[in-house]
């Protein structure tokens, strides 16, 4: 049997990080995923897909993603049956994320540059990176090949 799903879309709200009674982190969020559309005159439709990310994946999503972020989610589809407060039987489909990856950054006028947390560099509006601030742990390499170990 195979149950694997990959979706890409934008977060409709900031992720909500909660903890179970045994202190296991779980983040929930919703992705707006555009459907492939059939023709020129057809308006593109969007699906809103609930996603749940457990443990370190949930903490990662909670720390680095926010409303409007593009995310690629790889995981499995899960169907849950439950009963609401009025006693009605309900069914909910959600993706249980195994991995969550960064998609492209959202472009908005007036946005401050975003910091790349790995290098300290800031992403510019044009999509490139500006150098890391002085005093960072990285140094510029010279163009000579003599110092390279390979």
């Amino acid at each position: 049997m195979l149950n694997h799903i990959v979706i890409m879309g934008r977060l409709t709200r900031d992720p909500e990080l909660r903890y179970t009674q045994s202190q296991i982190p779980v983040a929930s969020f919703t992705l707006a995923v555009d459907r492939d559309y059939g023709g020129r005159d057809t308006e593109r439709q969007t699906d809103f897909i609930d996603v749940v990310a457990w443990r370190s994946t949930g903490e990662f999503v909670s720390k680095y993603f926010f409303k409007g972020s593009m995310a690629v989610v790889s995981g499995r589809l899960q169907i849950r049956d439950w009963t609401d407060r009025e006693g009605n039987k309900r069914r909910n489909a959600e993706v249980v994320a195994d991995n969550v990856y960064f998609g492209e950054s959202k472009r908005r006028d007036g946005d401050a540059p975003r910091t790349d947390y790995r290098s300290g560099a800031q992403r510019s509006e044009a999509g490139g990176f500006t150098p890391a601030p002085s005093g960072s742990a990285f140094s510029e390499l010279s163009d000579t090949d003599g110092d390279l170990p390979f």
Side-chain angles (χ1 to χ4, degrees), residues 33-54:
V33 179
D34 287 339
R35 293 183 187 177
D36 292 336
Y37 73 152
R40 295 180 193 178
D41 300 332
T42 307
E43 187 174 325
R44 195 173 260 190
Q45 294 181 334
T46 303
D47 293 308
F48 297 91
I49 301 173
D50 294 329
V51 181
V52 177
W54 290 87

Side-chain angles (χ1 to χ4, degrees), residues 24-39:
I24 297 172
V26 57
S28 59
F29 57 97
T30 301
L31 282 185
V33 179
D34 287 339
R35 293 183 187 177
D36 292 336
Y37 73 152

Side-chain angles (χ1 to χ4, degrees), residues 7-8 24 28 30 52 54 62 69 73 78 85 93 121 140:
I7 56 175
M8 182 171 92
I24 297 172
S28 59
T30 301
V52 177
W54 290 87
S62 175
S69 296
V73 175
Q78 175 176 285
R85 292 180 182 168
E140 190 72 29

